[in-house]
Amino acid sequence: MLRNVLGKTFRFLGYTVQYGCIAHCAFEYLGGIVVCSGPSMEPTIQNSDIVFSENLSRHFYCIRKGDIVIVKSPNDPKSNICKRVIGLEGDKVCTSNPSDFLRSHSYVPKGHVWLEGDNLRNSTDSRCYGPVPYGLIRGRICFKIWPLNDFGFLRASPNGHRFLDD
């Protein structure tokens, strides 16, 4: 009887570890569901919206300008942020705030991206902490899951004028 109980216990632990590893790999490499908080991506993503983030793009270096990404915060490595990619390495970006009279520009260094929130007046982004290393990108948001009336792919940036083609 003890052998039978031990056998079932070890089988259960084995399956738990096995499925835990599969779940970890799925969430780490394929993607997952993310609940967004904060006003920085409004109107595209509202506070408490639920989105699906895929992680394959970051592994294959397929992040493009205009993509919305989940990134480890440069200010607080324990938290993630959600921002739009405005510039990739080598791109010229506008580094000033929309309210600034004089516009300043800079180039994104190698291995970095320039991130901004869609709500420029209420976003802490690359304009505050500078270019973000590509290695901090966790995933790319594909589509919105919740609320259901807004289900689907995300809309284009309301700040498209900030994308420079020089």
Side-chain angles (χ1 to χ4, degrees):
M1 170 139 152
L2 181 60
R3 176 184 261 179
N4 190 20
V5 170
L6 284 175
K8 286 183 179 181
T9 303
F10 283 124
R11 268 195 300 280
F12 175 75
L13 287 174
Y15 287 131
T16 302
V17 169
Q18 187 176 23
Y19 291 121
C21 290
I22 291 169
H24 168 74
C25 289
F27 290 126
E28 180 67 23
Y29 296 103
L30 297 179
I33 294 172
V34 178
V35 178
C36 297
S37 63
S40 71
M41 285 303 293
E42 291 177 353
T44 309
I45 298 174
Q46 305 289 329
N47 192 34
S48 301
D49 281 358
I50 300 174
V51 296
F52 178 76
S53 171
E54 61 86 13
N55 299 349
L56 291 173
S57 292
R58 74 180 173 112
H59 293 293
F60 294 113
Y61 296 94
C62 296
I63 302 294
R64 298 182 306 238
K65 279 198 272 188
D67 287 347
I68 300 175
V69 293
I70 302 292
V71 180
K72 283 284 182 200
S73 172
N75 295 337
D76 178 15
K78 293 180 181 176
S79 66
N80 292 322
I81 57 174
C82 175
K83 303 292 180 195
R84 189 177 298 271
V85 177
I86 300 298
L88 302 169
E89 63 181 43
D91 287 344
K92 182 179 179 182
V93 292
C94 179
T95 58
S96 56
N97 289 313
S99 59
D100 293 348
F101 181 71
L102 296 173
R103 301 277 185 242
S104 58
H105 296 86
S106 181
Y107 287 93
V108 180
K110 186 172 178 63
H112 290 71
V113 294
W114 189 267
L115 304 174
E116 291 181 3
D118 285 354
N119 185 354
L120 292 174
R121 299 198 190 288
N122 197 1
S123 177
T124 303
D125 48 37
S126 287
R127 293 170 296 150
C128 299
Y129 45 71
V132 176
Y134 193 91
L136 293 181
I137 296 175
R138 304 302 302 147
R140 181 178 64 90
I141 294 179
C142 297
F143 54 88
K144 195 181 295 189
I145 297 171
W146 188 263
L148 287 177
N149 63 337
D150 212 7
F151 180 88
F153 294 102
L154 298 171
R155 64 185 92 155
S157 172
N159 305 311
H161 62 281
R162 292 190 58 90
F163 293 84
L164 299 176
D165 292 327
D166 295 341

